Amino acid sequence: MRKSLMRLTLRQLRVFRAVCESRSYSRAAEEMALTQPAVSLQIRQLEELVGQPLFEYVAKKLYLTPAAEALLKASEDIFGRLESFDMQLSDLQGSLQGQLNLAVESSAKYLVPHLFAAFRAQYPEVSLQLVVVNHAQAVRRLSISRDDLLIMSQVPSELALNFYPFLNNPIVAVAPPWHPLCARPNLRLQDLTDFPLLLREPGSGTRRAGEEYCHQKRAHFAETLEIGSTEAQLQAVIAGLGLALLPRHAASLELATGQLCELPVEELPLYHSWCLVHTEGKRLSPVARAFETFIRAERAKISALAERFSGRLTEKPAAS
């Protein structure tokens, strides 16, 4: 017989949500700055209140039970209502206050701080919790509505989502300035395939977009090297380990300072759009609504900001 759910605590729900997101007791403990036994204890106490197991292991992987899925949705409503109430109190005081919980794909992290700074100039009492993820992690966070909003380039069609494209995300080919291809005035993707291509990890959206495009253009690289982050990828290109297909925004500093050159490939840039995304029907907090309104109202200024940041002009319109 289960106990009354009125005895559960917000702390238990926070630990529970961390386990749901990470699918791991140990990673949840690290995120919450707790020990793994402390996480296990919180989950065990929560299961006693619910009266059913919340997680099960299958082939050494952690899965949510139906009870956990239902509790996760309830917890989203509870925290959403509390956050909304907190911000309503701020509205009653005459100013917008609160925290924007924003997740961004890793190649957008160079631009987003500038974007939030422009937003905060209008709302100085708003704070930011920014989480940087790859594409696969972004999709997983969307599936459990983990964040207020998420900025990503390739919006998954299998989820019920609201999204707004607001900025071009041009993917270009880069090489060190002494590379022989930099002296060529015109190139095709096929010309690059004689050299190693540096790729991000399998969950990366940029890698997925680049691989799909190269396959479509029948440009098959004989040698590839996997690099675990955009920063490491940039340094690997500078060191001469190979070429890379990268968002121009991510390589803006290296291009501007001459550490890298953008190869004049006829089939590039490959254009996607950065999109502001949230799950369909999600109740946005006042801060999240204000940020969404800011993005829609200031789209032209955001494009100009991106151009100044990258030092390049985006000549093609954003894809819808």
Side-chain angles (χ1 to χ4, degrees), residues 48-108:
E48 290 176 0
L49 293 173
V50 172
Q52 297 185 43
L54 296 173
F55 302 103
E56 59 184 2
Y57 281 96
V58 178
K60 297 184 178 180
K61 290 186 177 180
L62 193 69
Y63 291 90
L64 277 65
T65 65
E69 297 281 2
L71 180 59
L72 182 59
K73 290 182 179 179
S75 72
E76 290 165 4
D77 187 58
I78 291 169
F79 283 106
R81 287 178 179 272
L82 285 174
E83 185 174 11
S84 180
F85 176 61
D86 185 44
M87 294 179 188
Q88 286 171 14
L89 292 176
S90 300
D91 287 343
L92 293 174
Q93 296 172 350
S95 65
L96 182 66
Q97 298 178 0
Q99 178 172 278
L100 176 65
N101 298 309
L102 182 65
V104 302
E105 285 189 345
S106 55
S107 52

Side-chain angles (χ1 to χ4, degrees), residues 120-163:
R120 196 173 183 183
Q122 296 184 19
Y123 303 102
E125 296 186 63
V126 171
S127 61
L128 173 68
Q129 178 175 301
L130 180 66
V131 178
V132 179
V133 296
N134 64 25
H135 180 79
Q137 292 167 332
V139 172
R140 185 162 63 248
R141 294 176 76 91
L142 279 171
S143 68
I144 61 173
S145 196
R146 182 69 176 84
D147 311 286
D148 291 333
L149 297 164
L150 197 144
I151 292 176
M152 67 189 311
S153 184
Q154 300 175 72
V155 179
S157 58
E158 66 271 17
L159 298 177
L161 303 171
N162 287 333
F163 64 94

Side-chain angles (χ1 to χ4, degrees), residues 181-225:
L181 291 181
C182 292
R184 302 260 302 267
N186 298 293
L187 294 168
R188 303 278 300 178
L189 266 176
Q190 187 65 40
D191 297 327
L192 277 57
T193 59
D194 292 334
F195 302 92
L197 181 66
L198 307 180
L199 300 172
R200 285 279 308 279
E201 75 282 359
S204 164
T206 301
R207 171 172 175 167
R208 177 183 174 186
E211 286 183 329
E212 289 177 353
Y213 192 62
C214 287
H215 180 74
Q216 176 188 335
K217 297 297 182 179
R218 297 184 179 180
H220 304 296
F221 288 81
E223 183 180 358
T224 60
L225 298 174

Side-chain angles (χ1 to χ4, degrees), residues 161-176:
L161 303 171
N162 287 333
F163 64 94
Y164 176 69
F166 67 93
L167 182 65
N168 277 332
N169 177 31
I171 296 176
V172 300
V174 297

Side-chain angles (χ1 to χ4, degrees), residues 174 197-200 204 206 225 227-238 242-247 260:
V174 297
L197 181 66
L198 307 180
L199 300 172
R200 285 279 308 279
S204 164
T206 301
L225 298 174
I227 309 292
S229 71
T230 302
E231 291 86 352
Q233 200 176 16
L234 287 167
Q235 292 303 314
V237 178
I238 292 171
L243 311 176
L245 299 176
L246 290 168
L260 292 176

